[in-house]
Amino acid sequence: MIITVTLNPSIDRAVELDAPLRRGQVQRAVGTRQDPGGKGVNISRALELSGEPTLAVVPGDSTDPLLTGLDQAGVRYEAVSIGAPLRSNITVTEPDGTTTKINEPGPELDSSTVDRIIDQLIARGAGAQWLVLAGSIPPGPAPNIYAEIINRVRAGLGSAAPRIAVDTSGRPMAEAVSETADALPDIVKPNGEELAELLGRTDGDVLEADPAAAASAAHALIERGVRAVLCTLGGNGAVLVTRDGAWHAVHRPVAVKSTVGAGDSALTGYLIAHVRGESPQHCLRQAVAHGSAAAALPGTEMPSLEHTTPHAVTVTALQLT
């Protein structure tokens, strides 16, 4: 079982255009799609499509369109009522794959709601293989909320606590991997820009373009105590750095339809391979295969294992400098 937590879920509406976006003008869409979204929700959707047991933990009322969407997708979930509608995000995709996103901030979560969510995680987490904390933080919780969840889940479950993955950015990620944190995630999944920001660097474009540089930068988090870093690099694939080594993987070129959810799918592929006992290299291979499959799908559609082509992924060992 893989449990995901999405504190700021959304209804994602994707609009597909047949020409470049023209600001200030009227354009007709050639396709639209609506899906339950947010990073953790996306991961649970992709896991469900691949037949991997998952539970999505989210805030939201029983009549909210997000929960209706999860019902329709067949995703098992547990929701904590908040008495307010969840946010909606809009994605506009152009023919060349250029993606523009407009994200709402989301409803405020008070401390009692956060406590109820953490109680759910402790009640359901024993024996789960992974707990994924993913996405932005809505108004209300402090920036260290993911660090707090890690501490309380591990304190509450002890040796029965699952491994923990964190996929966020900015201060919530910085707090989760702080050198002064009481407990660190087992894996984090930044992209190159987010990794640079996390380390106080300004060369995110360099890390995106240079897998060896990204791997060397990621090793700083391994030295802090994080067990693994999966850093996605867009069209340059991804790198995986652990205490035992570093690898780069890249997929043969695909026709990009939408980049929405590609990073979420990459983490999904890693987790699927990991729970099936695969090596770090194969976990990275499946991560890149999943991310590439997501990029080749329209709008906010998530890939299943059947969409992925891991045989098209080349994995290379890296020497850290």
Side-chain angles (χ1 to χ4, degrees):
M1 170 73 74
I2 296 173
I3 300 173
T4 67
V5 180
T6 312
L7 295 178
N8 203 15
S10 62
I11 286 294
D12 286 349
R13 294 185 172 92
V15 178
E16 184 180 354
L17 303 179
D18 63 356
L21 178 67
R22 299 189 296 271
R23 293 181 61 198
Q25 300 187 36
V26 175
Q27 287 180 257
R28 294 188 182 276
V30 296
T32 61
R33 182 183 176 94
Q34 177 172 299
D35 291 295
K39 282 184 172 294
V41 168
N42 287 342
I43 291 169
S44 280
R45 286 171 53 210
L47 289 168
E48 180 64 31
L49 287 169
S50 295
E52 197 66 47
T54 185
L55 173 69
V57 177
V58 294
D61 299 335
S62 60
T63 57
D64 196 279
L66 176 100
L67 302 186
T68 302
L70 288 176
D71 286 328
Q72 293 172 345
V75 175
R76 182 184 167 206
Y77 63 86
E78 291 200 3
V80 174
S81 177
I82 58 173
L86 296 170
R87 63 180 180 152
S88 294
N89 295 336
I90 298 173
T91 299
V92 179
T93 304
E94 300 174 49
D96 65 354
T98 299
T99 301
T100 302
K101 293 197 69 177
I102 303 172
N103 291 348
E104 294 182 4
E108 183 172 349
L109 297 188
D110 59 25
S111 59
S112 66
T113 300
V114 173
D115 286 341
R116 284 184 290 154
I117 290 173
I118 295 175
D119 289 343
Q120 291 277 31
L121 300 180
I122 294 173
R124 300 289 181 261
Q129 293 149 304
W130 280 95
L131 169 62
V132 182
L133 311 177
S136 62
I137 304 301
N144 70 342
I145 182 59
Y146 285 144
E148 179 184 350
I149 292 174
I150 293 171
N151 289 337
R152 289 175 60 179
V153 167
R154 286 182 174 162
L157 293 176
S159 61
R163 293 182 176 88
I164 296 177
V166 175
D167 182 4
T168 187
S169 59
R171 187 149 171 220
M173 178 70 94
E175 294 284 352
V177 299
S178 168
E179 292 173 301
T180 60
D182 294 332
L184 294 168
D186 293 282
I187 187 170
V188 294
K189 197 225 70 65
N191 60 31
E193 293 285 350
E194 292 163 348
L195 178 61
E197 178 186 23
L198 188 57
L199 298 174
R201 299 168 54 154
T202 59
D203 59 345
D205 55 340
V206 173
L207 301 189
E208 289 275 343
D210 186 346
S216 293
H219 194 260
L221 300 180
I222 302 299
E223 292 178 329
R224 292 186 192 179
V226 178
R227 291 186 177 181
V229 179
L230 174 64
C231 181
T232 51
L233 305 173
N236 288 321
V239 296
L240 175 66
V241 183
T242 73
R243 298 171 184 176
D244 299 320
W247 302 268
H248 170 236
V250 64
H251 196 285
R252 69 188 178 203
V254 300
V256 176
K257 293 186 178 179
S258 172
T259 58
V260 175
D264 308 333
S265 296
L267 182 54
T268 301
Y270 177 94
L271 296 173
I272 289 174
H274 190 277
V275 299
R276 297 182 182 188
E278 301 289 356
S279 67
Q281 296 94 319
H282 188 79
C283 290
L284 175 60
R285 183 187 302 277
Q286 191 59 54
V288 170
H290 253 81
S292 297
L297 292 172
T300 52
E301 187 174 348
M302 291 292 107
S304 69
L305 273 173
E306 293 180 351
H307 287 113
T308 69
T309 50
H311 61 273
V313 178
T314 300
V315 180
T316 306
L318 297 173
Q319 296 297 320
L320 298 176
T321 58

